[in-house]
Amino acid sequence: MTNSKGYRRGTRYMFSRKFRSNGPIKLSTYMHVYKRGDIVDIKGMGAVQKGMPYKAYHGRTGRVFNVTRHAVGVIVNKRVGNRIIPKRINVRVEHVKHSRSREDFLKRVQKNDELKKQRKETGVFKILKRAPVGPRAGHMVRTNNNVPQLVEPIPYEFIA
């Protein structure tokens, strides 16, 4: 049998609800306030077929450019061939949630601002850039009162 060419082809697991999260949609989904400029994640919810995003946009992050009563307009980057096109799509609020991708960055900016204030007050230089975690410090392992244990596989026993 050849591949079907339907609009929702290959979305059996993509648009399904998570384990133990079936049933009626939580009211908090509708209570979120979206404003222009907000960064949102697009995630299709199979329980609501209206205003569902096309499968290529599932899991993408975009910026809100328009807000209506039941839906939001989102600008999403889509790679087509060798270029990236900013696409404008309208998605109902059930298929959208606020993104947490910038939280870490904003916390880091706030922390760096505090460190800059401290640096001006005390005059002590502190590097603000992120640095990878270095190797752990070396240490000696003593064997007195700490006998080394031999680790070996348990032999297989056939029980008839």
Side-chain angles (χ1 to χ4, degrees):
M1 189 174 163
T2 59
N3 283 342
S4 59
K5 306 224 172 10
Y7 193 72
R8 290 182 60 170
R9 174 173 75 121
T11 62
R12 178 178 179 180
Y13 301 106
M14 185 185 290
F15 292 146
S16 65
R17 307 273 301 269
K18 290 280 179 265
F19 180 62
R20 286 193 190 151
S21 68
N22 297 321
I25 298 162
K26 295 185 174 84
L27 290 179
S28 60
T29 306
Y30 301 101
M31 299 300 286
H32 287 295
V33 176
Y34 295 100
K35 297 177 182 173
R36 288 177 61 194
D38 285 353
I39 295 175
V40 293
D41 293 331
I42 298 169
K43 184 180 177 188
M45 181 185 285
V48 181
Q49 288 83 36
K50 275 191 172 182
M52 186 181 269
Y54 181 65
K55 62 184 177 182
Y57 302 109
H58 182 81
R60 297 295 176 96
T61 302
R63 190 175 289 270
V64 174
F65 75 91
N66 184 30
V67 179
T68 61
R69 287 184 305 169
H70 300 292
V72 291
V74 184
I75 299 174
V76 187
N77 287 335
K78 184 179 182 184
R79 185 158 177 247
V80 180
N82 62 345
R83 64 199 193 279
I84 295 174
I85 304 172
K87 304 280 282 188
R88 290 170 177 252
I89 60 171
N90 291 309
V91 184
R92 271 178 92 103
V93 291
E94 293 95 337
H95 312 291
V96 159
K97 65 177 183 179
H98 285 285
S99 180
R100 300 186 63 190
S101 59
R102 274 180 65 88
E103 278 183 13
D104 187 43
F105 169 72
L106 294 173
K107 282 180 188 172
R108 206 170 75 242
V109 168
Q110 202 170 24
K111 186 179 149 197
N112 284 354
D113 289 341
E114 290 173 14
L115 290 172
K116 283 178 190 174
K117 281 183 186 175
Q118 289 176 2
R119 186 164 63 182
K120 281 186 180 177
E121 292 168 4
T122 59
V124 178
F125 181 76
K126 178 114 186 207
I127 297 171
L128 301 178
K129 288 184 179 180
R130 290 178 291 174
V133 179
R136 287 181 288 181
H139 61 279
M140 296 292 291
V141 177
R142 292 185 176 78
T143 57
N144 52 344
N145 297 330
N146 183 17
V147 180
Q149 297 177 356
L150 183 65
V151 178
E152 58 186 8
I154 300 168
Y156 177 75
E157 295 178 18
F158 181 74
I159 300 171

